Amino acid sequence: MAEERREFPSLQRIYDLQVREDDDWQMVQKQGNQFVVNDQPFYVNGFNTYWLMVFAADQSTRGKVSELFHQASSAGLTVCRTWAFNDGQWRALQTSPSVYDEEVFKALDFVISEAKKYKIRLILSLTNNWDAYGGKAQYVKWGKAAGLNLTSDDEFFSHTTLKSYYKAHVKTVLNRVNTFTNLTYKNDPTIFAWELMNEPRCTSDPSGDTLQSWIQEMAVYVKSIDAKHLVEIGLEGFYGPSAPDRAKFNPNSYATQVGTDFIRNHQTLGVDFASVHIYADSWISQTISDAHLQFTKSWMEAHIEDAEKYLRMPVLFTEFGVSAKDTGYNTSFRDTLISSVYKTLLNSTKKGGSGAGSLLWQLFPDGTDYMNDGYAIVLSKSPSTSNIISLHSTRIATFNSLCSTKCKWGCKKKNPLEEFLYHDDL
């Protein structure tokens, strides 16, 4: 007897289900360990492109923003993480404390309005731990220029004046009225979440107390201005002193000493979901090996378990990738790594778990190779990778559109699409 043919819905049809009308463009919210929109689950397949605001600030490169969103949308990607800061650098948004370049702010307005056109939501990060685009080092420079006696960039987390500079930036961004949409940022559903900082570390205090205090203060501050949007910290996910039994999952012993503490930090009032980064090639070894895949799987599973057992919140793997500059790199390994991340997430999704999604680092449009840090994926030049991303998007979109928040696949509500959603063919 011939095998029964099953017609699986196209990505476009599912996508149309998800974004039926503009009226449905509601805030992403959290219910337990799931993200939801309009009471439907919102599992995420997304990407990073940090430089969108700077590209939008120049008319000669602004089109690349639209091009990228178009390509990402075509692959079914629904969330983009990007910078809502550029502190004191070239094309700075904030040229000095509380002084802004209006043209660059209009560029950020454009990024947000353009994302909405392509039904892509944004995670907006508010400053950097690293020197790129200014970050905490620039805040310290501003403090020194104002006559403060500062000896470490980590004083960003503890000095009252520097904290007031950061809070002023947060207040300005959240209260910004978009010149393209007339929507205040804090009221715009296009924004998925605010991120306090990209990869915060405070190595001068390995106990974690300094960073914990900063997170507590700033999460509540963001919520005092904007209670509607979700907030996340921006952490890499390293385990700290509060969970010594979890330190074995860290990539190396140094990771326990950078002042972060995954479980403790995420138990903070005002923090809605957990963030984790995955960089086996940076943390384990720059030579490609199966150990990278083994680490990635155990790292993810540990954090998903913690999010379920201790944090009771979703966890988003907000950066993951592999660099083409690594010894032994090839696109086949990149495809295997991406597939492994997606498979681990689907294993959580089908049980109604906390694994809420992932964001590739990073997606580029054509003609931007000069910005490539080694991790860039250009979909049009990477057909095998593009296919893996699109298939995962289709699976996620199908799940989001078919399953209400009250039904997990674990509830034995069988559906012919289940095989398609979770069949291990990657």
Side-chain angles (χ1 to χ4, degrees):
M1 185 177 173
E3 185 180 33
E4 179 190 355
R5 283 193 65 192
R6 290 177 179 169
E7 292 295 326
F8 295 130
S10 70
L11 177 60
Q12 187 59 49
R13 205 161 85 233
I14 297 161
Y15 180 75
D16 290 343
L17 270 173
Q18 284 186 286
V19 292
R20 286 179 218 84
E21 301 290 341
D22 244 23
D23 291 347
D24 286 345
W25 194 242
Q26 302 295 324
M27 292 278 184
V28 178
Q29 297 177 310
K30 182 188 74 164
Q31 284 184 11
N33 62 356
Q34 287 183 316
F35 296 125
V36 295
V37 179
N38 293 336
D39 292 322
Q40 289 288 108
F42 186 68
Y43 288 93
V44 171
N45 194 21
F47 64 100
N48 288 267
T49 310
Y50 67 88
W51 41 254
L52 294 176
M53 178 178 67
V54 167
F55 264 52
D58 189 326
Q59 290 297 333
S60 68
T61 51
R62 177 169 285 193
K64 291 294 177 188
V65 175
S66 308
E67 188 182 321
L68 178 76
F69 284 150
H70 174 72
Q71 291 172 356
S73 175
S74 298
L77 296 166
T78 56
V79 175
C80 170
R81 178 170 167 265
T82 194
W83 295 171
F85 65 87
N86 188 10
D87 310 310
Q89 309 290 298
W90 177 76
R91 297 318 298 259
L93 173 63
Q94 188 177 195
T95 54
S96 59
S98 295
V99 179
Y100 291 84
D101 184 326
E102 178 60 18
E103 289 309 304
V104 180
F105 233 142
K106 285 178 179 173
L108 184 56
D109 294 344
F110 174 80
V111 170
I112 296 169
S113 67
E114 203 68 2
K116 165 74 187 306
K117 287 180 189 174
Y118 291 96
K119 304 299 180 189
I120 289 172
R121 298 175 191 270
L122 300 173
I123 294 177
L124 295 178
S125 192
L126 294 163
T127 195
N128 206 352
N129 183 71
W130 313 109
D131 293 353
Y133 283 54
K136 70 182 183 186
Q138 182 60 58
Y139 279 90
V140 169
K141 286 177 188 171
W142 285 332
K144 287 178 176 175
L148 302 180
N149 181 23
L150 302 168
T151 57
S152 164
D153 287 350
D154 281 353
E155 289 187 75
F156 169 83
F157 297 112
S158 57
H159 197 285
T160 304
T161 301
L162 301 188
K163 288 192 292 183
S164 73
Y165 289 169
Y166 173 80
K167 284 181 174 178
H169 175 63
V170 168
K171 187 175 183 179
T172 301
V173 172
L174 272 55
N175 285 317
R176 168 76 176 182
V177 177
N178 192 310
T179 54
F180 289 84
T181 66
N182 290 320
L183 267 179
T184 307
Y185 284 14
K186 65 183 178 185
N187 295 326
D188 191 343
T190 306
I191 296 167
F192 178 102
W194 300 111
E195 177 176 280
L196 298 182
M197 185 181 214
N198 174 51
E199 300 187 334
R201 295 184 182 184
C202 186
T203 52
S204 62
D205 181 8
S207 77
D209 291 346
T210 300
L211 186 58
Q212 177 68 12
S213 178
W214 184 84
I215 293 166
Q216 288 172 339
E217 184 175 347
M218 299 311 168
V220 168
Y221 183 73
V222 171
K223 288 288 189 181
S224 74
I225 300 170
D226 177 2
K228 296 178 181 177
H229 281 104
L230 301 174
V231 171
E232 53 106 349
I233 302 165
L235 289 170
E236 296 157 282
F238 301 134
Y239 292 103
S242 77
D245 59 319
R246 305 304 271 173
K248 64 188 176 190
F249 292 107
N250 278 345
N252 50 56
S253 57
Y254 176 68
T256 61
Q257 299 163 37
V258 297
T260 70
D261 196 324
F262 176 75
I263 293 175
R264 181 188 181 197
N265 295 157
H266 282 110
Q267 288 172 328
T268 304
L269 181 69
V271 175
D272 295 298
F273 66 94
S275 66
V276 180
H277 294 180
I278 316 169
Y279 286 115
D281 62 346
S282 176
W283 301 338
I284 305 281
S285 164
Q286 290 187 328
T287 301
I288 296 298
S289 74
D290 285 346
H292 288 199
L293 301 174
Q294 292 158 9
F295 167 77
T296 297
K297 186 172 186 287
S298 64
W299 182 245
M300 291 181 71
E301 288 175 346
H303 288 84
I304 290 170
E305 182 184 357
D306 293 333
E308 289 166 2
K309 282 188 177 178
Y310 306 114
L311 303 177
R312 295 177 178 82
M313 60 172 54
V315 57
L316 206 55
F317 295 90
T318 45
E319 288 188 25
F320 77 100
V322 59
S323 174
K325 297 175 183 178
D326 294 338
T327 305
Y329 170 88
N330 55 52
T331 54
S332 175
F333 180 82
R334 181 174 73 185
D335 289 351
T336 302
L337 177 75
I338 293 171
S339 295
S340 175
V341 169
Y342 289 165
K343 181 182 176 185
T344 303
L345 283 166
L346 284 171
N347 284 339
S348 174
T349 302
K350 68 184 178 185
K351 293 181 288 196
S354 283
S358 60
L359 309 176
L360 283 157
W361 184 274
Q362 56 179 325
L363 218 60
F364 275 34
D366 293 289
T368 53
D369 296 1
Y370 61 96
M371 294 286 288
N372 189 359
D373 58 356
Y375 290 84
I377 297 170
V378 179
L379 292 174
S380 60
K381 295 179 181 177
S382 314
S384 62
T385 309
S386 182
N387 286 341
I388 290 166
I389 294 168
S390 295
L391 175 60
H392 187 61
S393 293
T394 307
R395 286 172 160 161
I396 292 300
T398 305
F399 184 83
N400 288 345
S401 63
L402 292 179
C403 203
S404 77
T405 52
K406 293 184 175 63
C407 170
K408 316 282 194 302
W409 284 102
C411 72
K412 299 180 181 173
K413 179 182 177 183
K414 295 299 180 185
N415 188 294
L417 282 170
E418 189 170 3
E419 180 186 346
F420 166 66
L421 283 168
Y422 305 116
H423 183 60
D424 184 14
D425 59 355
L426 298 178

